[in-house]
Amino acid sequence: MGTSFSSVSKPSPCITENGDADPTLLIQLFPFADEGEILILDDTNFHFTSNIARNYDPLRMTATTSLLESSIFDPSLIDVKIMWGLHHPYHTIIGKSAESQVLWKSVKCVLWFHDFEIYGYGKNLEGQRSFLKNSFEYLVIRLLADALYEVPVILTMNNLRFSQLRVEKLGRSSFFFLSGSFPFDEQCFGKLSDCIPSKNPMVVSKSISYVFRMCPPADVVSDDFQAGKDQGFSRAATHEV
């Protein structure tokens, strides 16, 4: 596209996947000195949100779930802003319901915990790949339209699933480039349910946090993405529950 991507073409600071998990590797990406909050996408039953809230200021956390408002009670969630009944990615990122509830200008970090099962993809790899592709597409529209250029998107998933679905390639197609990765500390933040047994004893199956950063071409016009966001509203409306 005639654009230099030298800033993202350097070797990524990826920690070996069989290394020890360290919770500070994730926490250091959260906003502290500046005002802002973290947005947790698609944490259906608040499994990860509740654990993160024990290690970070819950007043600076917003979590989305496809569940309707329920009687779930967890003291760690009292101060977390919860957005109920939002299906990912249509409602959580670009739908009008998300627009009215999320102060996107204050979002400084996005944590993304995919949930293939609840959306019916199960073992459907093409469905899973399409799900991730749509999510990246909506994210780039949202972040560019709202000028959130520095916001990292941290996708946590099984490393074998990540490779199987070619997630890095899906991210690049929407101008998201992998800038780092590290083992996800399941003991501190909650266990990831997605586990893929490895047939190769040399390959470690593990939960990994992948850090994506947006790097669009210099000639991208923000108005184009504002228009894309408006079109996304119409598409999201067809998925209203």
Side-chain angles (χ1 to χ4, degrees):
M1 299 179 70
T3 303
S4 172
F5 291 98
S6 58
S7 61
V8 293
S9 61
K10 299 175 183 177
S12 300
C14 299
I15 297 175
T16 176
E17 294 183 352
N18 59 0
D20 294 331
D22 180 352
T24 62
L25 294 173
L26 180 62
I27 293 174
Q28 69 183 1
L29 296 172
F30 298 169
F32 282 97
D34 301 323
E35 291 187 3
E37 63 181 39
I38 61 174
L39 174 62
I40 303 174
L41 295 176
D42 216 25
D43 186 11
T44 305
N45 58 6
F46 311 115
H47 172 61
F48 302 107
T49 303
S50 61
N51 283 286
I52 293 172
R54 296 184 181 100
N55 296 275
Y56 186 67
D57 183 359
L59 289 171
R60 303 177 72 176
M61 295 171 57
T62 297
T64 72
T65 177
S66 59
L67 297 177
L68 297 178
E69 190 164 353
S70 70
S71 59
I72 293 177
F73 178 75
D74 184 330
S76 65
L77 296 174
I78 291 177
D79 293 322
V80 176
K81 182 179 180 181
I82 298 174
M83 298 166 54
W84 301 92
L86 297 187
H87 286 247
H88 185 73
Y90 308 104
H91 301 155
T92 60
I93 300 174
I94 206 168
K96 285 188 178 295
S97 49
E99 180 82 5
S100 63
Q101 295 184 56
V102 177
L103 297 176
W104 282 94
K105 291 293 185 182
S106 66
V107 173
K108 300 298 183 182
C109 179
V110 175
L111 302 183
W112 176 10
F113 298 95
H114 67 89
D115 194 334
F116 293 136
E117 292 292 340
I118 197 170
Y119 296 123
Y121 295 116
K123 297 181 180 180
N124 181 351
L125 295 183
E126 284 306 314
Q128 294 175 14
R129 192 172 288 116
S130 177
F131 177 82
L132 293 172
K133 182 175 183 293
N134 288 338
S135 298
F136 276 120
E137 288 175 351
Y138 282 170
L139 276 168
V140 74
I141 290 172
R142 166 63 70 185
L143 297 188
L144 279 173
D146 291 330
L148 302 174
Y149 301 105
E150 303 301 323
V151 173
V153 175
I154 306 169
L155 171 60
T156 298
M157 66 190 308
N158 181 277
N159 61 326
L160 300 185
R161 176 88 60 195
F162 183 89
S163 177
Q164 187 180 49
L165 298 178
R166 302 192 294 277
V167 179
E168 187 173 1
K169 181 179 180 181
L170 295 176
R172 285 200 309 270
S173 68
S174 292
F175 311 128
F176 282 101
F177 292 82
L178 185 64
S179 65
S181 66
F182 49 84
F184 179 68
D185 192 335
E186 294 182 304
Q187 185 173 0
C188 185
F189 300 122
K191 188 173 180 60
L192 203 69
S193 60
D194 186 23
C195 182
I196 303 177
S198 174
K199 297 179 181 179
N200 185 343
M202 300 298 291
V203 177
V204 177
S205 176
K206 202 162 187 177
S207 298
I208 301 293
S209 289
Y210 298 93
V211 184
F212 286 89
R213 294 187 182 273
M214 184 177 64
C215 186
D219 57 354
V220 164
V221 180
S222 61
D223 290 346
D224 294 339
F225 285 88
Q226 182 63 50
K229 187 172 73 170
D230 294 338
Q231 293 173 8
F233 285 158
S234 299
R235 183 176 177 186
T238 67
H239 292 80
E240 292 291 346
V241 185

